[in-house]
Amino acid sequence: MLHIYNTLTKKKEEFIPLDPPNVKMYMCGPTVYDYFHIGNARSFIMADILRRYLIYKGFKVTFAMNLTDIDDKIIKKSIEEKIDTIAVTQKYINAFMEDVIKLKIKRADIYPKATEHIEDIINMIRTLQNKGLAYNKNGNVFYNVSKYEQYGKLSGKNLDELESGSRIEVNEEKENPLDFALWKKAKEGEPFWESPWGKGRPGWHIECSAMSCKHFGETFDIHAGGNDLIFPHHENEIAQSEGANSKPFVKYWVHFGFLNINDEKMSKSLGNFFTAREVLNRYSAEVIRMFFAQAYYRGPLNFSDDLLSSAEKGLEKINNLVFRINNELVNPKQGTNPDFNIEYYRQSFEKAMDEDLNTSQAVAVIFDFVRDVNRIIAENKALDNSFFLFIKEFLTATAEEVLGILSFDTDQISSSIEKELIDLIITIRIDAKKQKNFSLADKIRDDLKTLGIILEDSPNGTTFKKVT
Ligand SMILES: [Zn+2]
């Protein structure tokens, strides 16, 4: 039985969906005005692993991730780039989809966009207004937090604590500093929609309430997101959805921890801000996923090249076995079929994952498995083909399909071997230069060039790029 930590109840709970085996899972997606950063990638990947594990357990998961395609930041970007907001959002939705595919994150079943749900949003705001939970001030509509008694139940704080402890946007039109905008009046030149309160656009929080209700109904199973969204975003979602529908909103709230960079908070001003695509230029998706899977999803995690390199080295051990299995299966042989208790590893893997998604323990099980299989291979001269099929089946079901840290696809293996070979040749060339054998160093560079591989020397070392 899967147990998962529920931020709402603040304890680990047995996972029982509302309508088994169906599971409805919603995750807050990006505001599409820029590339997403590696901290977001951590949340997306860990949610992907949770979703994949639910599928492994036989649940039928419908996964929705919203795209916030109207927002102050999008308007600002459209002014900076001198293109309209639709061009901004299309550009970054495309980039988002590319990065998601590269990170091996399964596509969502539904990607609802805010701008395609304006009517649903307006209807929900009207319901809140009719129930006395929202008020209109000169075309801006605010949620009246003091009218919703349970406000603060997710973040575990009362109104006084929240007021004194949070940075709240100052706005003279609000009756209470914690009140938040449901509908924003359009300023000159801004995109707008017609509404009962005049021209304007939705606030951010109401989008998730309206869109999740539209696609999943009033109550659904899992709502996921980064820790930073607990307050105010998710607290506000609860106030809106439960306020409007008078029904429980979400059964399990799942939150992912922060990612620090070299022990500091990631920020553009500190210059330690990395987009997922920048990191993907240096490490494969499998290495990035392995790195995240080796940490507890709720805790903070530090990102550094040393830690990524060690994830890469660990993965190499697993990939060597994958490579061996593929080679054996190309030339099927008959031989001994050793006594190997694969059920033990399967149960250990499931036990780890069932215990609040303990992916780091699950990865440790995979390492044990690889070590023990390697020992059997070393001890037996000729192993039967069925043995390799058997171990491939286990690795496919667990490490490939749940964790997404390896691939039996031979194309991908050859590309990682290719990279290793080029790195090896670069090392040989560096040695040649050290021994002042410049003619050999130049020959290596020129020969690689004829193969379409360009070496680039810099004070930090030599890198390569492929030209096709
Ligand atoms: Zn949301």
Side-chain angles (χ1 to χ4, degrees):
M1 264 306 173
L2 170 64
H3 285 75
I4 191 104
Y5 183 86
N6 186 350
T7 312
L8 185 64
T9 58
K10 303 185 180 44
K11 54 178 192 257
K12 285 178 198 168
E13 291 178 1
E14 193 175 314
F15 179 73
I16 306 167
L18 298 158
D19 172 30
N22 300 305
V23 174
K24 290 171 179 169
M25 180 172 175
Y26 183 94
M27 178 158 190
C28 298
T31 300
V32 280
Y33 72 103
D34 209 341
Y35 303 108
F36 65 86
H37 61 68
I38 190 68
N40 300 135
R42 181 186 185 195
S43 293
F44 297 156
I45 286 171
M46 295 315 289
D48 182 55
I49 291 177
L50 172 58
R51 177 189 181 193
R52 286 161 173 257
Y53 188 57
L54 291 168
I55 296 168
Y56 172 98
K57 301 228 16 135
F59 292 110
K60 292 195 173 15
V61 184
T62 310
F63 184 79
M65 179 182 269
N66 69 298
L67 300 171
T68 297
D69 61 347
I70 184 70
D71 183 84
D72 291 342
K73 294 182 196 115
I74 293 169
I75 295 170
K76 191 166 166 254
K77 192 84 169 196
S78 89
I79 296 164
E80 278 170 17
E81 296 199 356
K82 297 191 177 64
I83 47 177
D84 65 24
T85 53
I86 294 167
V88 171
T89 58
Q90 204 46 59
K91 174 179 169 184
Y92 290 106
I93 287 172
N94 291 343
F96 170 78
M97 295 301 171
E98 278 170 28
D99 293 347
V100 159
I101 291 167
K102 282 190 197 144
L103 287 168
K104 308 225 160 154
I105 295 168
K106 280 172 89 72
R107 270 184 70 87
D109 300 292
I110 319 165
Y111 284 110
K113 289 182 192 165
T115 58
E116 290 170 1
H117 293 77
I118 299 292
E119 207 183 310
D120 306 297
I121 291 168
I122 289 174
N123 287 338
M124 191 174 249
I125 300 174
R126 278 164 99 163
T127 306
L128 291 169
Q129 213 181 356
N130 292 339
K131 289 189 159 190
L133 292 163
Y135 56 92
N136 173 12
K137 277 276 175 77
N138 308 316
N140 286 301
V141 184
F142 296 100
Y143 191 98
N144 192 337
V145 165
S146 66
K147 291 276 164 66
Y148 181 67
E149 278 179 15
Q150 298 183 60
Y151 195 79
K153 70 176 173 181
L154 183 70
S155 51
K157 290 183 173 141
N158 63 36
L159 284 184
D160 291 341
E161 281 175 306
L162 288 172
E163 267 179 50
S164 60
S166 54
R167 285 192 309 177
I168 304 159
E169 199 187 327
V170 180
N171 185 326
E172 284 168 6
E173 290 183 323
K174 289 191 206 173
E175 288 176 6
N176 177 318
L178 282 174
D179 290 352
F180 55 90
L182 298 168
W183 187 262
K184 294 179 171 183
K185 186 180 174 175
K187 296 189 191 104
E188 185 68 34
E190 284 183 354
F192 64 83
W193 288 263
E194 297 290 348
S195 83
W197 316 283
K199 294 179 165 92
R201 62 191 156 87
W204 171 41
H205 312 298
I206 193 73
E207 294 171 12
C208 286
S209 284
M211 295 194 285
S212 61
C213 186
K214 164 97 175 180
H215 296 280
F216 284 169
E218 292 162 336
T219 308
F220 60 92
D221 301 291
I222 301 175
H223 194 314
N227 258 342
D228 52 333
L229 297 181
I230 295 175
F231 184 83
H233 183 55
H234 291 161
E235 196 72 66
N236 292 351
E237 282 189 36
I238 294 176
Q240 295 163 155
S241 297
E242 299 196 350
N245 300 328
S246 306
K247 296 255 178 67
F249 177 38
V250 167
K251 195 168 178 194
Y252 303 93
W253 283 91
V254 176
H255 289 101
F256 307 102
F258 282 112
L259 186 71
N260 291 319
I261 308 283
N262 298 322
D263 293 315
E264 281 180 314
K265 196 166 178 248
M266 177 163 45
S267 84
K268 282 191 175 155
S269 57
L270 285 173
N272 64 354
F273 185 94
F274 299 120
T275 62
R277 58 175 56 195
E278 283 166 339
V279 179
L280 274 164
N281 281 334
R282 289 187 283 142
Y283 300 98
S284 70
E286 285 82 4
V287 170
I288 296 169
R289 295 181 70 105
M290 173 85 159
F291 168 67
F292 289 141
Q294 282 183 299
Y296 183 38
Y297 76 92
R298 289 204 299 127
L301 175 63
N302 189 42
F303 177 98
S304 72
D305 278 319
D306 284 351
L307 294 170
L308 264 290
S309 300
S310 93
E312 194 166 35
K313 285 206 185 82
L315 198 57
E316 223 173 86
K317 284 187 198 150
I318 301 175
N319 274 334
N320 287 340
L321 179 61
V322 169
F323 197 64
R324 174 78 188 252
I325 295 169
N326 272 342
N327 272 345
E328 294 286 344
L329 292 178
V330 171
N331 309 299
K333 290 190 211 81
Q334 288 192 331
T336 25
N337 208 341
D339 190 17
F340 187 56
N341 184 3
I342 216 158
E343 271 318 300
Y344 163 78
Y345 302 93
R346 203 185 308 278
Q347 281 167 17
S348 305
F349 177 83
E350 290 176 9
K351 188 167 171 253
M353 294 296 282
D354 279 346
E355 186 51 43
D356 197 23
L357 216 63
N358 190 341
T359 48
S360 87
Q361 182 58 34
V363 170
V365 172
I366 303 292
F367 275 125
D368 288 349
F369 176 85
V370 169
R371 182 199 60 208
D372 297 345
V373 167
N374 281 336
R375 201 183 55 229
I376 289 174
I377 292 174
E379 284 168 359
N380 291 272
K381 269 205 180 104
L383 283 163
D384 200 83
N385 191 47
S386 60
F387 172 73
F388 289 102
L389 279 172
F390 195 45
I391 57 175
K392 179 183 175 179
E393 187 272 327
F394 173 77
L395 286 174
T396 303
T398 55
E400 183 169 10
E401 283 176 9
V402 175
L403 301 172
I405 56 170
L406 62 81
S407 171
F408 276 92
D409 183 339
T410 40
D411 282 356
Q412 293 196 27
I413 297 172
S414 70
S415 69
S416 85
I417 294 274
E418 179 186 64
K419 182 184 174 300
E420 282 167 31
L421 283 175
I422 297 170
D423 284 340
L424 175 68
I425 294 168
I426 289 173
T427 312
I428 293 169
R429 180 167 167 265
I430 290 168
D431 288 345
K433 278 193 187 173
K434 278 186 193 152
Q435 290 159 15
K436 307 218 182 301
N437 190 346
F438 296 109
S439 62
L440 177 61
D442 289 348
K443 182 176 160 34
I444 290 172
R445 186 196 58 210
D446 296 342
D447 286 355
L448 283 175
K449 197 172 175 183
T450 59
L451 296 171
I453 295 156
I454 311 290
L455 298 188
E456 287 170 344
D457 295 316
S458 82
N460 297 325
T462 303
T463 54
F464 71 89
K465 69 176 181 196
K466 277 177 77 175
V467 285
T468 45

